[in-house]
Amino acid sequence: MPASRIAIPERTRPFVHGLFFVLAYVALDWASYLHPMYGLNITPWNPSLALGLVYWFRVGRIAAIPWFAAILIGEGVVRGLPATLPMTLALSAALTLGYGGIAEALRRHAVGAVLQDRQRLLFWLAIVLAGTLLTSGIYIALLLFAGLIPVGDGAVAMVRFWIGDWVGIVVTMPFFWLLFDADDRLRAYLLRWETAAYAGLAALMLWVSFGLGGAGEFQYFYLLFLPLVWAAARQGVAGAAIAAFALQAGIIVAVQWQNLVAVTVFELQLLGAVLAAVGLFIGAVVDEKQRVSDELRQSLRLAAAGEMAGALAHELNQPLTALSIYASACEQLLDRGETGERLRETIRRLVQESRRAGDVVQRLRDFFRTGATRLERVAVGDLLAAAAERFAARAAEQGVAFQVDPAPPLALLVDRLQLELVLRNLLANAFDAVAELPPGQARIRLSAQADGDRRVCISVEDSGPGPSREAAAQLFEAFQSTKASGLGLGLAISRAIVEAHGGSLRAELGDHGVFRIVLPSEGDISDAA
């Protein structure tokens, strides 16, 4: 559990957090002190820096004090103070200031999560590469000045120190970011069965890569991409971070197990960094796609809620009118001194109508927030009549022959308001399609018939030209509209609503417009619910 989750008094909390950080930093420094060059802090992998960056990013500049202390303690405990005390202080200060600058740059320019999308991911990689290069140059220059590194090995030491630092950050910082995440996402991902599955696959691929490929220059190393791609594709950046950290730890264990030379270790670390970067980019793309999908779904819901508001406004007319009538009746009864059953019955009906009005508003709120539906048993004929009622005046005004055929005596289990919305949308499109036709040629027909066993087909036909084959291919896609002022959401929402009811909505190609809705039937209208 992160230190921030432990109940600590407010006054001592910064000190305790700093102490936890120092202990964790030194422990990581000790665990990663492998193949050191000249016994210095030049190793193939420095994950402790990633912990420091995340800590600085979370708490701010105050992190400089415990980070400096951790680096200084590591020089003494892990490396036995290879330099003089003044030089050790200078080296520790250079690392603290250099990597603190990287953390400060990330804090200033990274809005929200550092690894939230590809743009932030690229920015993070650029800052890490440039910052570690600059810090490495200063650090190696100090070591050369102190005579701890031969002048001829300065370039090699510079490259190795830089690679070790940025590899450690790139591979492990996303994992530590999740570890200190306030939403505790790491635990949620670790408890999933697929996390255990790709961890098992990672262990298998590590064994194949090092057990079989160690003698052949690791020709099977590319197999490590399999668990990483799986994790990134399923869990986004979080999955990629977990898989990259696990693979890196496995590579280090395998390196120690096979006693590989330092040059080979650096090559493997470069491959590991590329592996992690590819996984993170895949994860970022997956996360972006999921966010876009969620935003589109919310946009569709908001557009549908707007349409539902119109339907509900019409629906509210009846209970509100009834409330007004019953309230007036109560006043008249009270004026006449009525206190008996008539008054109680009127009040009872007033309460029922108020509940009905509240229920209508609640349905809009539920749909607006969650897309929830409320199913009820509705006669097909009643559904068609309610949808067609609003278009009677429009048909007379435009000179359109509007025909509503008798419906079969069947019932549907649907959200009546949502299905009325779908039918009204189709009818509105039909009226638009015949608007330019001369009088006597504009016709619209609304009908329903049984369609096989326990299914009902509702048809909306018009005498307009109908959609072309090219237009029909994109007819139900969001934001595709043939109207100058249309958003292109009506048919997309309509299809989503019909499919949520277990049905289908399609357009038929022909010399006129035809839309058909097929829904499951609940049997004869006289059957018990």
Side-chain angles (χ1 to χ4, degrees):
M1 177 182 292
S4 60
R5 306 292 176 83
I6 301 175
I8 303 171
E10 187 68 30
R11 294 178 59 185
T12 60
R13 186 173 298 173
F15 174 78
V16 174
H17 288 177
L19 181 61
F20 273 117
F21 167 73
V22 170
L23 294 174
Y25 189 96
V26 174
L28 278 173
D29 193 7
W30 172 80
S32 61
Y33 189 58
L34 309 170
H35 296 282
M37 189 175 184
Y38 297 112
L40 300 170
N41 189 21
I42 304 175
T43 59
W45 184 45
N46 296 323
S48 54
L49 297 176
L51 180 64
L53 289 175
V54 173
Y55 181 65
W56 188 303
F57 197 98
R58 297 293 186 186
V59 304
R61 296 177 183 176
I62 191 65
I65 298 174
W67 199 349
F68 176 78
I71 295 174
L72 194 61
I73 293 171
E75 289 295 322
V77 174
V78 179
R79 283 169 285 280
L81 285 178
T84 63
L85 182 58
M87 180 53 64
T88 301
L89 291 171
L91 291 170
S92 300
L95 290 179
T96 303
L97 292 175
Y99 290 106
I102 296 176
E104 198 62 26
L106 292 174
R107 289 187 78 231
R108 285 177 176 272
H109 301 288
V111 180
V114 176
L115 309 176
Q116 188 175 11
D117 53 39
R118 283 173 292 178
Q119 183 178 356
R120 289 189 177 93
L121 185 61
L122 284 171
F123 175 80
W124 170 68
L125 287 174
I127 291 293
V128 168
L129 288 173
T132 52
L133 180 61
L134 178 61
T135 305
S136 299
I138 297 172
Y139 186 79
I140 297 300
L142 288 173
L143 291 177
L144 288 170
F145 176 78
L148 296 173
I149 296 177
V151 176
D153 289 347
V156 175
M158 167 76 180
V159 171
R160 291 196 180 185
F161 186 77
W162 178 47
I163 292 175
D165 282 9
W166 72 258
V167 166
I169 294 173
V170 168
V171 173
T172 56
M173 185 177 170
F175 181 83
F176 288 135
W177 186 270
L178 283 176
L179 184 65
F180 289 95
D181 187 66
D183 295 333
D184 207 6
R185 289 186 297 165
L186 182 62
R187 178 185 296 180
Y189 284 115
L190 290 177
L191 292 178
R192 295 181 181 179
W193 69 266
E194 58 186 353
T195 304
Y198 66 67
L201 180 61
L204 176 62
M205 294 300 101
L206 283 166
W207 180 82
V208 172
S209 298
F210 288 89
L212 302 180
E217 299 184 354
F218 308 100
Q219 67 267 35
Y220 299 117
F221 192 89
Y222 64 88
L223 292 175
L224 296 181
F225 279 95
L226 293 177
L228 188 68
V229 171
W230 179 8
R234 292 288 299 168
Q235 298 178 352
V237 169
I242 296 171
F245 185 85
L247 287 171
Q248 186 65 41
I251 290 173
I252 294 299
V253 171
V255 163
Q256 292 300 100
W257 171 47
Q258 294 191 352
N259 295 318
L260 299 179
V261 298
V263 174
T264 303
V265 173
F266 274 101
E267 292 176 353
L268 288 174
Q269 291 301 82
L270 281 174
L271 291 172
V274 172
L275 190 75
V278 170
L280 290 172
F281 270 102
I282 294 174
V285 171
V286 171
D287 285 347
E288 285 185 52
K289 180 180 178 182
Q290 183 61 45
R291 281 194 297 274
V292 170
S293 177
D294 292 342
E295 290 171 2
L296 177 59
R297 194 157 41 240
Q298 180 65 10
S299 297
L300 291 174
R301 183 179 300 159
L302 291 173
E307 296 287 345
M308 286 281 289
L312 289 168
H314 176 73
E315 186 71 14
L316 280 171
N317 279 336
Q318 290 181 339
L320 291 179
T321 301
L323 281 173
S324 177
I325 294 173
Y326 288 133
S328 298
C330 286
E331 287 183 348
Q332 294 176 12
L333 290 173
L334 288 172
D335 288 342
R336 293 205 301 261
E338 178 69 45
T339 58
E341 184 60 29
R342 292 181 63 188
L343 179 61
R344 283 194 292 270
E345 177 63 23
T346 304
I347 294 175
R348 190 180 304 116
R349 293 186 180 183
L350 188 148
V351 171
Q352 289 176 350
E353 293 299 330
S354 66
R355 289 175 178 172
R356 179 182 169 190
D359 184 61
V360 170
V361 174
Q362 180 67 36
R363 292 174 72 171
L364 174 62
R365 190 174 70 173
D366 291 345
F367 185 79
F368 184 81
R369 293 174 58 187
T370 65
T373 60
R374 184 173 302 182
L375 302 181
E376 58 182 300
R377 196 174 163 85
V378 181
V380 176
D382 293 344
L383 186 65
L384 268 56
E389 179 184 0
R390 187 174 297 183
F391 293 91
R394 182 173 177 180
E397 180 181 344
Q398 294 183 204
V400 176
F402 183 30
Q403 175 182 345
V404 181
D405 292 350
L410 297 175
L412 303 173
L413 187 62
V414 296
D415 187 304
R416 182 171 58 84
L417 292 177
Q418 291 189 26
L419 262 296
E420 286 182 18
L421 165 64
V422 172
L423 289 175
R424 281 197 296 271
N425 183 59
L426 295 178
L427 288 171
N429 290 343
F431 273 89
D432 291 339
V434 301
E436 301 299 326
L437 295 180
Q441 297 184 19
R443 297 183 302 277
I444 295 176
R445 180 187 178 197
L446 176 62
S447 62
Q449 55 274 336
D451 183 36
D453 185 25
R454 301 187 70 83
R455 298 187 75 80
V456 174
C457 177
I458 301 174
S459 302
V460 177
E461 302 179 53
D462 63 74
S463 58
S468 64
R469 185 175 299 274
E470 293 76 14
Q474 299 180 336
L475 206 56
F476 295 97
E477 294 183 11
F479 307 110
Q480 299 291 331
S481 177
T482 58
K483 304 175 185 177
S485 60
L487 291 176
L489 293 173
L491 288 176
I493 294 171
S494 297
R495 170 171 276 185
I497 291 175
V498 172
E499 290 179 350
H501 285 79
S504 63
L505 170 60
R506 68 180 188 273
E508 294 186 357
L509 296 177
D511 57 357
H512 64 287
V514 180
F515 284 85
R516 300 197 192 278
I517 302 171
V518 178
L519 291 166
S521 167
E522 288 296 301
D524 193 274
I525 194 173
S526 60
D527 294 343

